[in-house]
Amino acid sequence: MKDGAPKPESQAECAGVLLPLPLVGAYDYKFARAAVRGLVVMAPLGPRESLGVVWGKAEGSVAESKLKEAVPLEGDPVLPAGLCDFVDWVAQYTLTLPGLVLAMVLRSRQAFEPETPRIGYVKGQIVPAKMTPSRRRVLDVAADGLARSIPQLAVEANVTPGVVRGLVDAGALYAIELPEFAPFTAPDPGFTQPLLDTEQDLAAHLLRGAVAGGRFGVSLLDGVTGSGKTETYFEAVAEALRAGKQTLILLPEIALTVQFLDRFAARFGVRPAEWHSDLSQKERRHVWRAVLSGEARVVVGARSALFLPFKELGLVIVDEEHEQAYKQEDGAIYHARDMAVVRGRIEGCPVVLASATPSLESYVNAKSGRYAHLKLHRRYGGAVMPEVRLIDLTRARGEPGTFLSPPLREALAVTLGAGEQAMLFLNRRGYAPLTLCEACGHKLVCPNCSAWLVEHRYRKRLVCHHCGYETAIPPQCPQCGTAGSFAACGPGVERVAEEFRSVFPEARVAIASSDTLHGPLETQAAIRAMSKRETDVLIGTQIVAKGHHFPQLTLVGVVDADLGGSDGDLRARERTFQLLHQVAGRAGRAEKPGLVLMQTRNPADAVMQALISADRDAFYDQETIYRRTAHAPPFGRLAAIILSGHDGDAVRTAGRLLAKAAPQARGVKVWGPTPAFYSLLRGQTRERLLVQTEKAIDVQAYLRAWLVAVKPAKSVRLTVDVDPVSFF
Ligand code: ADP
Ligand code: ZN
């Protein structure tokens, strides 16, 4: 090009830009200079601007001269290529618009704005003319040279903020700017080195090898409760740290993270970065950027952490991989465990799935050799597996209206008498799941949902657990008019706690459910109180079932082991087994042996028998046979289509038309439409269709071909759930 020649038009580039909005595909924009995939830009969109990401070549349907210009953000941030590929993959697999998947990566422009520095105060050379004991205390605190905010100094020196401000005015303290957050310190792989037992050591050796090999592969770390799966996979984390790679650890619930963070810090010297919905906007920005820059080496998070911009991911761990909480049920519907495997494959790094009760899918993959199967058969440190016994409620029943049978009460008395702790588990919130008129049998149901209202006695309210509707118990029955006729039917945790207190008035009881513990902080406090033995008996819903380690807990009572066993869903047995086995696994994790008592009306049931026999695999093998025979996952594929809307007739019509339009294909069956289990939810009528295909069939292609041909009425919402785990 000659000097002074005008810049040819072709120097400007065009590219497709994906916007984090519900649009079909990328839009073309032009750029002042070359634009690489992943470049984060601001793109004009109608009268506004939107954040966007350069996604690929321009489609070219609009003339270049008519295109608007997109401008890269300050500093030219670029999303890692692996993340862009992952977004495309998730979108195509789940039939979600790619922009909506991108929206899980890019929440707001704020993530790219500079952080606001904090002001801290440090001690200067000037000695104030007037010295008081309060001022002295502040200066003593500040003597270590660390910068602190005014409130921090006031608290530490036990003075009013005014005293601190006085010292600032006198020049004895001066202000400096601090970064908004302290930078993440890299965890130290050699901070402490636990002594692994033989099986742990073998598993750790294989995991380290997988990390060092730097290739994709999945390992199922299948160890009994208390076998030290965490200590074992920490060795893989250590290896990733040494290799200069980042690690992502997924946990199913934030409530589980506190104990986890402490254990991590004990092993690696610092806490890892955290990612979950309870972070403030600023904390999110900080973590997001630290992941992108590589400053955060290890991230522990909920399922959405899968969408963080790791640039050198070397290991993904999914703890409690069987948990249903990994399935995101709204917005983009995806299973975080399955997508973690996908991200690992895209990034070319190993994935570790850990559980004492793996999902049947993972179990089958491990058995067939697709996944490496690493087993830990024994609890760590000589602790033995708890003894599980059934209490047959058809024989051993207490007074009517009581829910703790005589044998369970006896066992509680023995445990408390020995100064040990107990846990009672019932997977039902509130006081009673059903309120019934004793005169006419009228049941109190939610006006917006086809569901019973649940009594919450502490709050003196009836509550719908689906839509949040609340009301007082009516003074008389709306159907028959009888006054004071309502009675509580069946137990919730509050009612069990009431009964327990009446039998053991001296014992210190805590109730753990999402109604009594508001947010992760309260949950953590309850867990700490249990760990520190400030609680004798913890009565709770599934919150208490998960990964906690309470060394002094020796008795676990399951109030109703039959709950959830008969709802006809293909994973009902598997889930009941997993949940109860996990609950049982809380007992006797240290020196003292544990006892688990499960109250049931069906002691002969296969799940109950599997729980008392130590032969877990026999149960899994039987389940495998059932699933194979039924061509159910993982031996066949499922996808659900849910139609919903306020206009019930429109929803039902849409269901019929949709079923009629279903293409005929070999190896594909379409069931429905049928009213969903909750046929009314939040005021919306719901109908479901289920597609079942042979394993080899591309179910996404089938769905696309089908759905492109039908347009349900505007008032009807259509949701696709590939690999559904909930059949409600
Ligand atoms: P799991 O997750 O398999 O149920 P954990 O990882 O919680 O089991 O381990 C149970 C307990 O045993 C924890 O308190 C853990 O710190 C301890 N533990 C396990 N392995 C070791 C080890 N090699 N050295 C020291 N403590 C260990
Ligand atoms: Zn409701």
Side-chain angles (χ1 to χ4, degrees):
M1 200 197 308
K2 269 187 245 153
D3 274 349
K7 215 167 124 192
E9 179 68 89
S10 64
Q11 276 278 307
E13 282 232 354
C14 302
V17 171
L18 190 62
L19 307 173
L21 300 168
L23 305 168
V24 180
Y27 283 17
D28 287 359
Y29 285 91
K30 71 180 169 202
F31 288 83
R33 47 203 161 83
V36 293
R37 176 161 159 99
L39 182 68
V40 186
V41 302
M42 283 311 283
L45 182 71
R48 257 174 268 200
E49 284 206 306
S50 166
L51 207 57
V53 178
V54 174
W55 214 246
K57 290 208 168 63
E59 197 208 310
S61 59
V62 178
E64 206 175 308
S65 55
K66 293 222 173 110
L67 290 180
K68 296 205 172 132
E69 184 177 332
V71 182
L73 292 191
E74 169 98 27
D76 294 346
V78 176
L79 296 184
L83 180 57
C84 298
D85 294 347
F86 182 61
V87 167
D88 279 336
W89 208 96
V90 173
Q92 109 76 33
Y93 188 85
T94 61
L95 276 89
T96 307
L97 293 169
L100 291 183
V101 181
L102 182 65
M104 297 195 285
V105 174
L106 286 186
R107 280 162 191 268
S108 72
R109 182 184 177 154
Q110 276 198 346
F112 300 95
E113 277 164 7
E115 300 190 349
T116 35
R118 286 175 301 143
I119 303 296
Y121 293 87
V122 290
K123 193 171 162 208
Q125 300 298 331
I126 299 169
V127 180
K130 189 176 123 232
M131 186 61 88
T132 63
S134 313
R135 286 187 158 192
R136 175 86 277 147
R137 284 208 300 281
V138 176
L139 294 177
D140 284 348
V141 167
D144 61 10
L146 295 180
R148 293 175 179 79
S149 67
I150 289 178
Q152 233 174 337
L153 275 169
V155 168
E156 285 185 46
N158 192 21
V159 300
T160 61
V163 175
V164 182
R165 261 180 246 119
L167 285 168
V168 174
D169 294 341
L173 293 173
Y174 67 93
I176 57 167
E177 277 197 357
L178 301 170
E180 187 170 319
F181 294 95
F184 287 103
T185 332
D188 173 2
F191 184 75
T192 51
Q193 190 72 54
L195 215 57
L196 300 183
D197 67 25
T198 322
E199 270 192 330
Q200 290 179 338
D201 199 44
L202 176 62
H205 175 77
L206 293 169
L207 292 177
R208 274 196 301 267
V211 173
R215 275 186 308 277
F216 169 67
V218 184
S219 305
L220 177 63
L221 182 57
D222 180 2
V224 301
T225 53
S227 59
K229 293 183 286 295
T230 317
E231 313 295 330
T232 304
Y233 70 62
F234 274 172
E235 294 316 298
V237 177
E239 186 65 30
L241 286 166
R242 285 190 203 102
K245 295 293 180 94
Q246 291 172 296
T247 298
L248 167 63
I249 305 175
L250 293 180
L251 297 180
E253 272 173 56
I254 328 172
L256 283 178
T257 47
V258 204
Q259 272 192 333
F260 183 89
L261 297 173
D262 292 346
R263 282 176 74 174
F264 188 95
R267 171 67 180 82
F268 295 105
V270 291
R271 287 182 158 209
E274 288 174 66
W275 181 264
H276 50 70
S277 56
D278 254 49
L279 297 185
S280 70
Q281 191 82 28
K282 285 182 174 174
E283 287 168 322
R284 277 174 175 275
R285 174 173 66 189
H286 178 60
V287 174
W288 199 91
R289 295 222 287 216
V291 172
L292 182 61
S293 73
E295 181 188 303
R297 305 312 295 165
V298 180
V299 179
V300 172
R303 56 192 180 215
S304 59
L306 266 179
F307 294 92
L308 283 170
F310 293 96
K311 61 167 198 179
E312 41 202 7
L313 194 58
L315 173 64
V316 181
I317 293 166
V318 184
D319 204 348
E320 310 287 356
E321 68 92 32
H322 62 280
E323 277 288 341
Q324 223 183 325
Y326 280 123
K327 181 75 191 259
Q328 162 121 348
E329 296 281 10
D330 43 38
I333 300 181
Y334 66 92
H335 201 303
R337 182 226 311 134
D338 299 347
M339 294 307 117
V341 171
V342 171
R343 181 113 201 230
R345 197 173 63 212
I346 290 173
E347 306 282 351
C349 76
V351 178
V352 179
L353 309 178
S355 176
T357 52
S359 61
L360 194 80
E361 282 79 357
S362 299
Y363 180 82
V364 168
N365 279 329
K367 281 269 161 167
S368 73
R370 270 186 76 186
Y371 293 176
H373 201 173
L374 313 181
K375 285 195 171 182
L376 305 176
H377 295 90
R378 276 172 298 279
R379 285 190 157 180
Y380 175 76
V384 291
M385 291 305 286
E387 182 190 349
V388 182
R389 285 191 223 147
L390 302 179
I391 297 177
D392 182 352
L393 283 184
T394 60
R395 298 183 193 192
R397 195 174 305 148
E399 303 275 302
T402 65
F403 303 96
L404 302 174
S405 65
L408 181 52
R409 289 181 181 201
E410 219 164 277
L412 283 164
V414 171
T415 302
L416 293 171
E420 293 164 15
Q421 291 174 301
M423 191 162 93
L424 290 173
F425 170 75
L426 176 66
N427 210 5
R428 257 201 204 136
R429 294 157 53 196
Y431 185 82
L434 170 65
T435 305
L436 192 81
C437 169
E438 291 194 308
C440 74
H442 179 68
K443 294 170 182 168
L444 292 178
V445 297
C446 175
N448 312 316
C449 307
S450 44
W452 295 342
L453 290 173
V454 177
E455 182 183 353
H456 286 246
R457 196 156 281 194
Y458 290 144
R459 287 165 52 208
K460 299 193 170 55
R461 305 292 278 176
L462 292 167
V463 180
C464 173
H465 285 173
H466 301 280
C467 71
Y469 171 85
E470 282 192 21
T471 182
I473 297 186
Q476 55 202 40
C477 176
Q479 185 162 288
C480 69
T482 313
S485 65
F486 281 109
C489 285
V493 278
E494 290 180 10
R495 195 168 191 182
V496 169
E498 179 184 88
E499 181 180 335
F500 177 85
R501 284 197 181 101
S502 74
V503 186
F504 301 97
E506 309 284 287
R508 295 167 300 177
V509 187
I511 303 182
S513 84
S514 54
D515 306 297
T516 56
L517 303 174
H518 303 100
L521 284 179
E522 288 190 31
T523 310
Q524 286 156 26
I527 291 166
R528 279 224 182 83
M530 188 72 182
S531 302
K532 293 203 300 208
R533 305 191 62 186
E534 292 161 8
T535 302
D536 297 316
V537 177
L538 191 59
I539 301 181
T541 59
Q542 49 162 352
I543 294 191
V544 302
K546 313 298 169 61
H548 308 300
H549 184 68
F550 303 123
Q552 299 299 324
L553 176 69
T554 55
L555 175 67
V556 168
V558 176
V559 178
D560 186 350
D562 306 327
L563 255 191
S566 55
D567 56 9
D569 133 12
L570 75 107
R571 292 189 185 82
R573 273 189 310 266
E574 176 190 338
R575 265 208 302 270
T576 307
F577 177 82
Q578 285 162 339
L579 183 59
L580 295 182
H581 189 87
Q582 291 285 345
V583 179
R586 298 313 109 209
R589 288 165 70 95
E591 302 86 47
K592 297 184 191 128
L595 174 65
V596 182
L597 296 175
M598 299 197 176
Q599 303 193 135
T600 173
R601 272 172 209 82
N602 306 299
D605 182 79
V607 177
M608 295 305 137
Q609 289 303 316
L611 287 164
I612 52 171
S613 75
D615 197 355
R616 183 202 74 177
D617 287 5
F619 174 76
Y620 273 77
D621 293 340
Q622 186 58 49
E623 275 302 298
T624 307
I625 294 170
Y626 287 146
R627 297 268 189 99
R628 196 193 298 272
T629 318
H631 302 287
F635 303 102
R637 311 191 60 194
L638 290 179
I641 297 176
I642 301 109
L643 297 162
S644 58
H646 286 283
D647 179 348
D649 288 335
V651 171
R652 283 181 286 270
T653 306
R656 275 195 303 276
L657 293 177
L658 193 59
K660 241 191 225 155
Q664 295 284 332
R666 269 181 77 115
V668 180
K669 278 189 213 139
V670 177
W671 314 93
T674 47
F677 182 87
Y678 293 112
S679 56
L680 190 67
L681 205 57
R682 293 176 208 98
Q684 308 232 350
T685 300
R686 299 166 73 243
E687 293 267 317
R688 294 180 65 101
L689 292 102
L690 191 65
V691 181
Q692 181 173 21
T693 78
E694 283 169 12
K695 177 99 180 164
I697 283 176
D698 181 345
V699 70
Q700 283 84 6
Y702 178 84
L703 290 167
R704 279 200 186 88
W706 179 12
L707 297 177
V708 80
V710 273
K711 273 268 158 292
K714 247 192 151 162
S715 70
V716 179
R717 193 188 140 113
L718 186 152
T719 311
V720 179
D721 181 357
V722 177
D723 307 331
V725 298
S726 160
F727 295 84
F728 291 151

